[in-house]
């Protein structure tokens, strides 16, 4: 089931990419009928149109449809996101650094069992 869905989606993408090729192939297959029944210049055989006017119209119409779809997709893609910005409250975290001689973080920080043997917090350098 999954494989058939993947193949179907792949074929749809390929068909979309090669729609002009499909139009040209359909024209080549039905060129005699198009030249005799649908061609605008069928009463002027000296122009040797052979239905190419119909092919040109179909290709132009396919190009216009493609441009229209691109414009619609671009319009859908331009979405604006608005979000409420929350302000960060720092009033409790601001510490007067003039009274501290060292960073209080080192009082609670103990990376291992041997903290008393190896670890010594940096001292404030007084110049």
């Amino acid at each position: 089931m999954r494989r058939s869905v993947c193949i179907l989606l792949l074929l749809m993408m390929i068909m979309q990419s090669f729609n002009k090729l499909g139009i040209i192939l359909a024209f080549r297959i039905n060129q005699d009928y198009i030249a005799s029944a649908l061609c605008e210049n069928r009463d002027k055989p000296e122009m040797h149109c052979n239905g190419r006017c119909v092919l040109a119209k179909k290709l132009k119409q396919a190009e216009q449809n493609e441009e229209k779809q691109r414009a619609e997709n671009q319009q859908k893609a331009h979405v604006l996101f608005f979000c409420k910005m929350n302000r960060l409250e720092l009033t409790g975290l601001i510490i007067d650094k003039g009274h501290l001689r060292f960073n209080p973080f080192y009082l609670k920080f103990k990376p291992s069992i041997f903290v008393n043997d190896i670890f010594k917090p940096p001292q404030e350098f007084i110049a």
Side-chain angles (χ1 to χ4, degrees), residues 20-33:
K20 291 180 185 176
L21 182 63
I23 292 170
I24 293 171
L25 286 175
F27 170 75
R28 293 286 183 208
I29 293 170
N30 300 321
Q31 189 170 8
D32 294 332
Y33 170 74

Side-chain angles (χ1 to χ4, degrees), residues 4 7 10 18 40 51 80 84-85 88 96 98 107 114 124:
S4 61
I7 291 172
L10 182 64
F18 296 113
E40 295 174 355
L80 296 177
K84 182 180 176 183
M85 295 295 291
L88 187 61
D96 186 17
L107 294 176
F114 306 108
E124 182 180 10

Side-chain angles (χ1 to χ4, degrees), residues 27 31-44 47-55 57:
F27 170 75
Q31 189 170 8
D32 294 332
Y33 170 74
I34 292 171
S36 63
L38 301 177
C39 184
E40 295 174 355
N41 300 320
R42 63 180 171 259
D43 53 341
K44 302 175 188 172
M47 292 185 71
H48 301 288
C49 178
N50 297 330
R52 285 189 224 122
C53 56
V54 176
L55 176 64
K57 283 184 178 181

Side-chain angles (χ1 to χ4, degrees), residues 10-21 66:
L10 182 64
L11 288 174
M12 289 173 60
M13 286 175 31
I14 289 172
M15 293 277 292
Q16 184 180 8
S17 299
F18 296 113
N19 65 351
K20 291 180 185 176
L21 182 63
E66 191 175 318

Side-chain angles (χ1 to χ4, degrees), residues 81-96:
F81 290 100
F82 295 100
C83 63
K84 182 180 176 183
M85 295 295 291
N86 295 326
R87 293 188 179 198
L88 187 61
E89 297 288 333
L90 296 175
T91 55
L93 298 175
I94 298 175
I95 301 172
D96 186 17

